[in-house]
Amino acid sequence: MTLRTTDPTAARGRALKAAANAFEIVRAVRAGDVESAAALLAQRRSRDGSLHNCGVEQIQHPSNGQGTSTGTGTGHASGKKRRSGPQQTLSWVYENVYLPRRTERKGAPPRRRSRLDLEAGIDRFVALVGDKDIRDVSRRDAEQFVGSLNLPSVGTTKKAIGVLSTLFNCAVERELIGKNPFRGLGPDRYTVVAARRSYRRFDADQLSRIFCRTEMKSGSMLWVPRLLLLTGARLEEMAQLRAAWFTVRDRVHVIDLHAARVKTPHSRRYVPLHRHLLELGLLDYVASANDRLFPKLQYRRTAERWGASLSTRLNREIDEAVGRDRTLTVHSLRKTFEHAAYVAGVPKPTFNAITGHKAGDISEEHYLQLQDDVGLLKRQLDTLDFSFLFPALRQATPPTSGGVTGL
């Protein structure tokens, strides 16, 4: 019998009710009133379906020569009787087992993106194998599903298999099935790591070709590439910028990302504005904005991102400028910034604080606390010279010793 709850109080009440019903049914069978027993069983099942197996799997009239039989089997080919109760499909496990278990363990339901991944995995499995009861899903079904996947990357394939394996693991934990048919299937960790693409940085010539294109744009297509290169920030951090986040701290113009949706806790930081951004008129653009700097960028709930469409457009411009290369994307601007900072002699703890990377050790995190020393960060940041990318700055900005000749 499955009580369908993890609450001890609710489980006790449901168990007592089920036991009372089972007692009435057994008493009716012993008295020879098979019709009443069958009616009681049907009534219980139709009311709430919680009596999956009360010990009476099949009731037959003694007159048929077979007497009264009971069974608790789950198989078909072996001749055992099918267990009663509602069909426990993947969707049922997701809603009645996984979500309550996840909420109980983490204290909150899974994020929307995780739920969408799980639901997409269920839909993909049902489309190929059918909406089977999980007790009927075999290892062969799982292997057929894995073999049919034709996804763009090893990581995506691993995720598609992993979400289903998670649901079956939940079913095993609840003792709904004996083992997980997806266990051990799909690419292993080493294959995923080997196939994971590694973003490369741009060289000076590639940067020139990219910015020749983006400098002719406006709005987010103009300003976001500048911000990414000159701050080392992530695309999503810049796509959601608000005018109120531009402030002055210790007489330094900064972007305050403490209220932003960021990737990690270390990403909540003050980002000093590079001198090029001030010379190019970023603060004038900020002053003209009512709230969000780039209001045309809409929040996409399925991706939980502001910059999804912008990423696509910028990557298209990059492909047009330097050729299609999956290791050279908009994220490469962040890597280019870090390499330029290294070449210019900026200490690693300093550009970790600027870009929002985790500190390298305890001393850096708890004693240096460079993320709060925006004056130092600003001085180090301004040693980077990217004026060759911006025609308006080529004559106005004298060359510095911390240029990008090493890109």
Side-chain angles (χ1 to χ4, degrees):
M1 183 179 71
T2 300
L3 298 177
R4 300 193 300 176
T5 182
T6 58
D7 184 353
T9 303
R12 182 175 182 276
R14 294 183 186 182
L16 290 174
K17 291 180 181 179
N21 277 271
F23 177 78
E24 293 294 331
I25 293 169
V26 171
R27 186 170 62 177
V29 171
R30 287 177 175 173
D33 191 356
V34 179
E35 288 80 5
S36 297
L40 287 169
L41 181 60
Q43 181 182 10
R44 176 61 179 169
R45 286 173 175 168
S46 64
R47 184 162 62 243
D48 59 12
S50 64
L51 188 63
H52 289 186
N53 185 3
C54 68
V56 182
E57 188 66 37
Q58 182 179 4
I59 300 177
Q60 296 178 335
H61 199 279
S63 62
N64 61 13
Q66 298 179 2
T68 302
S69 64
T70 63
T72 58
T74 60
H76 291 283
S78 63
K80 295 181 180 179
K81 300 297 186 293
R82 186 76 172 109
R83 187 165 57 192
S84 61
Q87 188 179 24
Q88 295 173 347
T89 62
L90 271 178
S91 295
W92 186 92
V93 172
Y94 169 64
E95 294 173 1
N96 296 277
V97 180
Y98 171 78
L99 289 179
R101 172 179 175 270
R102 168 64 166 72
T103 303
E104 180 181 357
R105 289 191 171 188
K106 301 291 185 179
R111 297 176 61 186
R112 177 181 173 84
R113 191 168 184 176
S114 298
R115 295 199 304 270
L116 290 173
D117 287 339
L118 284 158
E119 291 163 9
I122 294 171
D123 292 342
R124 190 181 287 119
F125 183 81
V126 170
L128 178 70
V129 179
D131 198 17
K132 289 186 174 182
D133 190 296
I134 58 167
R135 295 163 290 189
D136 296 330
V137 177
S138 64
R139 179 71 170 188
R140 191 170 190 176
D141 292 330
E143 291 173 345
Q144 179 188 1
F145 174 82
V146 172
S148 70
L149 292 176
N150 184 22
L151 298 173
S153 70
V154 174
T156 306
T157 302
K158 178 75 171 177
K159 180 187 289 187
I161 299 169
V163 294
L164 295 177
S165 185
T166 296
L167 295 176
F168 279 100
N169 279 336
C170 290
V172 171
E173 185 178 311
R174 279 284 300 271
E175 299 183 353
L176 300 177
I177 55 177
K179 59 183 179 179
N180 180 358
F182 279 88
R183 183 176 178 83
L185 295 182
D188 58 27
R189 180 169 61 89
Y190 301 101
T191 304
V192 174
V193 171
R196 183 180 298 155
R197 68 186 185 205
S198 177
Y199 299 104
R200 295 188 293 122
R201 62 178 176 84
F202 296 114
D203 60 32
D205 180 61
Q206 291 169 332
L207 279 179
S208 296
R209 281 183 277 166
I210 292 168
F211 276 81
C212 278
R213 300 179 66 89
T214 60
E215 287 295 298
M216 300 171 61
K217 307 294 183 179
S218 61
S220 61
M221 288 291 289
L222 171 67
W223 284 106
V224 170
R226 293 173 170 180
L227 287 161
L228 297 180
L229 180 64
L230 297 172
T231 65
R234 298 179 177 90
L235 173 66
E236 185 62 19
E237 293 172 346
M238 299 295 100
Q240 60 183 295
L241 285 179
R242 298 181 181 273
W245 297 353
F246 287 78
T247 184
V248 176
R249 182 178 173 84
D250 294 340
R251 294 181 292 180
V252 175
H253 290 283
V254 298
I255 304 173
D256 183 355
L257 292 178
H258 289 82
R261 292 172 62 95
V262 292
K263 184 176 181 180
T264 66
H266 306 281
S267 301
R268 301 189 189 281
R269 64 196 188 279
Y270 295 104
V271 182
L273 295 183
H274 191 284
R275 56 191 172 89
H276 290 345
L277 291 171
L278 300 176
E279 294 161 356
L280 290 167
L282 174 62
L283 294 182
D284 293 333
Y285 182 79
V286 172
S288 67
N290 292 325
D291 181 18
R292 294 186 54 234
L293 256 61
F294 312 115
K296 291 185 179 180
L297 300 180
Q298 300 298 317
Y299 183 72
R300 185 178 294 178
R301 290 188 176 276
T302 54
E304 294 188 324
R305 294 174 60 195
W306 291 96
S309 62
L310 177 62
S311 176
T312 300
R313 286 183 285 152
L314 285 175
N315 282 325
R316 190 178 298 124
E317 293 292 334
I318 291 171
D319 289 344
E320 292 291 332
V322 301
R324 184 172 178 80
D325 185 342
R326 296 191 69 188
T327 65
L328 290 174
T329 69
V330 66
H331 191 71
S332 298
L333 291 170
R334 180 171 165 88
K335 289 206 167 186
T336 304
F337 169 87
E338 293 207 5
H339 183 266
Y342 177 81
V343 170
V346 177
K348 192 173 188 300
T350 300
F351 60 76
N352 277 348
I354 295 173
T355 58
H357 281 306
K358 184 178 180 179
D361 54 35
I362 295 296
S363 175
E364 180 183 333
E365 182 173 3
H366 295 288
Y367 294 93
L368 289 181
Q369 295 185 344
L370 294 181
Q371 66 273 18
D372 295 326
D373 193 348
V374 294
L376 172 64
L377 301 183
K378 168 68 172 173
R379 291 193 299 273
Q380 297 282 354
L381 180 62
D382 279 347
T383 62
L384 306 184
D385 181 14
F386 288 100
S387 58
F388 72 98
L389 297 174
F390 310 106
L393 303 181
R394 288 173 188 169
Q395 300 300 325
T397 305
T400 66
S401 59
V404 291
T405 55
L407 285 177

